[in-house]
Amino acid sequence: MNPIIPALPFQTSDPAHKQFQYLEDLATAYWYSEVLFAALDLDLFSWIERGADRIDKLADAAGCRPEALARLLRVLKRTALVHAIDGRWVNSPQARMFLVAESADYMGDFFLYRRYMQPRWSLLAERVSLPDRPRQPPITSDADYRTRNEQYVRSMDRLVRRKSPEILSILEHESWRGPLLDVGGGAGSLGRAILKTRPTASGVLFDLAEVIRAGRRIHPCPGDWARTLSVAGDFRRHPFASGSFGLVIMSNFLHAYGRKTARDLLAAAVILLRPGGLILIHDYFPDRLGIRPHKGAFYDLNMMLNTYEGACHESRDIVGWLDAVGVKRVVVRDLETDTSVILAGGDVGGGDGIDDPEEWTSVAREIGFVDAAMTTPADIVTAHWPAWKCRFGCKGYGRHRQCPPYAMPVEALRSLLAEYSRAVLVQGSPPGRDFHHRLLALERAAFLKGFPKALAFGAGPCTVCDRCPVDDVCRHPEKARPAMEACGIDVYATAGRVGWPLRPVRDRGDWVTYVGLLLLE
């Protein structure tokens, strides 16, 4: 089966859904083309195909800084143009065919010609409008600092006001007592919205002096600041008293700093918490897929281009930083837009950060699967035909104890599915033995985290033994797992229900996709 290429944002948007995210995706659509043009400029696909498949080799061959190149490659991976396998980079079939200079079907020059035409598109409004149309001067890098700063504060305030209701829904069941500290809170709208849920609590908005002045111009009503004290300064040096706050908010803040500085700032925020206090981190995280799987990685490049040392940090790193300073209870939630929330401290999350079944998709990706999706046993499509297809379509029929005719009958599978309420579909690639080992690791992780009924189903014939003793009992039942299709699961239909449109491999050299299943209870 061919790989599942992630859809571009506008391809999956519902125009009837009244959300701003569709328009935000359109506003940043040029990020995608610029990444493709940069990769072609650096000839990355050709260098990978020539054998520069590790980051150090590729950086040397393409004349790049390794750290910056790694951030670009992460975006190329998110858009399925390259893949990483055991630390080695490989081209996708599309990239190999159309983006490698030595390929007979090379189209790189054509795509770079598209960039040649790009500047004219910035003149589209001018071309459409009449000469005497009133024009509002655009914000450019040449504008004065106050103008640029106010535009930034205003735009970010509009964004956080759109996202605040969903963030509040994540926070509403948590117990904490004020005051709250909104670090780098801009015009203060998120902290203000949270304070409305705590009528007796007060808050501190902490940001740069010019940002706070802009915020007061944006929200001139005195009532908006009634319970909020604004404090100007640099959080890296401000002498707050330890244990002062019940809730510390860091919304779109840590990504303004490099790894070491961000870690130090987070540690400083933890010191400010009262016993039982919470930290709420709202940001773009490159390792979270969520509803917009590309955005975190793209936003990281945006920070690299537009700040001195800014970087979007992976949620797993932030969880590790929190653990290192004694904060063990952490949960991560993806919003319905393109960002996520980390809530840490107090009594959140039951202590291990993966008590929520939805988080097992992230665990699966950390183990090494290309993608993962939550589903339910009711959405696992079963039928008699897959087992018959094995019998009359597979040369391995009758040679493996986990395959037909020895595999679990479809009636038994249906009874088994009725005993579960959750399931995770995972997506990977050859070699089959590596895919199988990852499945076992995922099953074991679920078992150890309180899901005693966790059971995995693989893809294709069992790979544990080089030769299966079909005339005897299984030699490694602790490692062997049945294939999904062998037990009567329609893999194509099941994958389609989570948005993975599988299709058969048609040509030699096409990328192969494996799909596995983990039942959870």
Side-chain angles (χ1 to χ4, degrees):
M1 291 174 284
N2 269 337
I4 299 133
I5 298 175
L8 297 177
F10 60 83
Q11 294 176 313
T12 57
S13 294
D14 179 4
H17 193 198
K18 297 179 181 178
Q19 289 290 346
F20 70 93
Q21 188 61 54
Y22 171 65
L23 300 176
E24 150 72 353
D25 293 334
L26 290 181
T28 55
Y30 67 96
W31 290 6
Y32 291 80
S33 57
E34 289 298 337
V35 163
L36 176 61
F37 296 151
L40 287 170
D41 264 347
L42 297 168
D43 208 16
L44 296 182
F45 307 106
S46 300
W47 286 118
I48 290 173
E49 203 66 22
R50 295 167 192 152
D53 54 358
R54 292 194 180 274
I55 189 66
D56 54 343
K57 292 182 179 179
L58 185 57
D60 184 61
C64 297
R65 293 181 290 116
E67 182 181 348
L69 177 60
R71 295 165 77 171
L72 174 57
L73 287 169
R74 181 164 57 185
V75 174
L76 294 173
K77 179 181 176 182
R78 277 283 182 266
T79 51
L81 292 179
V82 298
H83 302 280
I85 300 176
D86 296 329
R88 296 180 181 274
W89 292 96
V90 296
N91 289 315
S92 70
Q94 278 190 323
R96 182 175 293 129
M97 178 175 291
F98 298 117
L99 304 179
V100 173
E102 290 81 7
S103 170
D105 298 304
Y106 178 65
M107 295 287 290
D109 293 337
F110 167 77
F111 296 130
L112 289 175
Y113 187 77
R114 293 296 194 196
R115 182 176 60 178
Y116 166 76
M117 295 184 287
Q118 186 181 41
R120 291 287 178 180
W121 281 82
S122 65
L123 305 175
L124 181 59
E126 180 180 325
R127 185 64 182 267
V128 171
S129 64
L130 294 171
D132 57 349
R133 177 185 69 92
R135 287 174 170 81
Q136 181 177 354
I139 299 295
T140 68
S141 58
D142 297 327
D144 65 88
Y145 178 73
R146 173 174 169 167
T147 300
R148 287 184 284 117
N149 177 67
E150 183 139 352
Q151 176 68 11
Y152 169 76
V153 176
R154 186 180 300 277
S155 63
M156 294 305 294
D157 186 62
R158 291 185 185 278
L159 178 66
V160 77
R161 278 189 277 165
R162 297 299 307 180
K163 297 198 176 196
S164 289
E166 193 176 0
I167 296 174
L168 289 180
S169 70
I170 295 172
L171 190 61
E172 65 180 346
H173 300 298
E174 304 298 334
S175 59
W176 60 275
R177 58 189 181 92
L180 68 76
L181 172 64
D182 190 356
V183 182
S189 286
L190 179 55
R192 192 175 297 118
I194 294 173
L195 284 177
K196 288 180 180 179
T197 69
R198 296 288 197 278
T200 61
S202 61
V204 173
L205 170 64
F206 187 89
D207 213 317
L208 300 176
E210 59 268 31
V211 172
I212 292 175
R213 287 194 293 268
R216 288 189 173 272
R217 288 191 293 269
I218 293 167
H219 295 280
C221 178
D224 288 338
W225 302 89
R227 289 190 285 142
T228 300
L229 173 67
S230 54
V231 177
D234 186 332
F235 189 66
R236 292 172 292 185
R237 288 178 282 274
H238 194 82
F240 281 114
S242 300
S244 302
F245 300 97
L247 175 67
V248 175
I249 306 166
M250 306 180 101
S251 179
N252 290 328
F253 176 72
L254 291 179
H255 69 222
Y257 302 94
R259 181 182 180 87
K260 182 182 184 305
T261 303
R263 181 171 185 168
D264 291 344
L265 290 169
L266 184 58
V270 170
I271 294 173
L272 302 181
L273 287 179
R274 287 178 169 178
L278 300 176
I279 286 187
L280 190 156
I281 303 166
H282 167 238
D283 219 318
Y284 298 89
F285 304 117
D287 58 328
R288 302 295 297 185
L289 296 185
I291 199 168
R292 290 291 183 266
H294 317 92
K295 195 59 173 289
F298 269 99
Y299 208 87
D300 176 58
L301 287 188
N302 180 62
M303 298 310 296
M304 183 175 74
L305 292 169
N306 289 292
T307 65
Y308 174 66
E309 63 165 359
C312 291
H313 310 288
E314 296 192 350
S315 64
R316 65 171 67 92
D317 287 338
I318 293 177
V319 171
W321 300 346
L322 289 165
D323 181 77
V325 293
V327 180
K328 306 297 182 182
R329 296 181 179 272
V330 184
V331 294
V332 188
R333 298 287 185 269
D334 298 320
L335 300 187
E336 288 297 317
T337 52
D338 55 4
T339 48
S340 304
V341 165
I342 296 176
L343 195 60
D347 295 320
V348 302
D352 57 20
I354 52 173
D355 63 304
D356 178 5
E358 292 290 333
E359 282 303 291
W360 285 100
T361 57
S362 296
V363 175
R365 296 182 193 108
E366 290 176 7
I367 287 174
F369 291 105
V370 173
D371 200 358
M374 292 300 301
T375 186
T376 65
D379 282 326
I380 297 173
V381 182
T382 60
H384 288 281
W385 73 262
W388 286 100
K389 186 72 174 177
C390 288
R391 180 172 181 176
F392 296 111
C394 179
K395 62 183 179 181
Y397 177 80
R399 298 182 180 180
H400 303 274
R401 294 199 65 82
Q402 306 304 325
C403 290
Y406 311 103
M408 182 189 310
V410 66
E411 293 81 5
L413 173 69
R414 288 168 178 165
S415 297
L416 177 67
L417 291 176
E419 299 182 15
Y420 290 82
S421 60
R422 309 177 185 99
V424 186
L425 283 178
V426 294
Q427 180 193 145
S429 56
R433 185 162 293 181
D434 290 348
F435 181 83
H436 189 80
H437 288 166
R438 292 189 179 99
L439 269 177
L440 294 179
L442 182 62
E443 181 191 278
R444 176 176 170 78
F447 178 81
L448 293 177
K449 288 297 183 180
F451 294 86
K453 292 166 62 175
L455 181 64
F457 288 73
C462 180
T463 60
V464 174
C465 300
D466 293 331
R467 183 176 180 181
C468 185
V470 292
D471 56 344
D472 199 358
V473 296
C474 177
R475 294 172 183 168
H476 297 286
E478 77 283 4
K479 297 179 181 179
R481 296 294 183 273
M484 294 173 65
E485 61 272 22
C487 302
I489 295 176
D490 184 338
V491 179
Y492 286 87
T494 301
R497 289 190 172 184
V498 299
W500 295 350
L502 299 176
R503 65 179 179 84
V505 171
R506 292 185 173 92
D507 301 309
R508 182 182 296 275
D510 277 0
W511 200 263
V512 176
T513 293
Y514 289 158
V515 176
L517 171 69
L518 175 69
L519 297 177
L520 279 174
E521 191 69 32

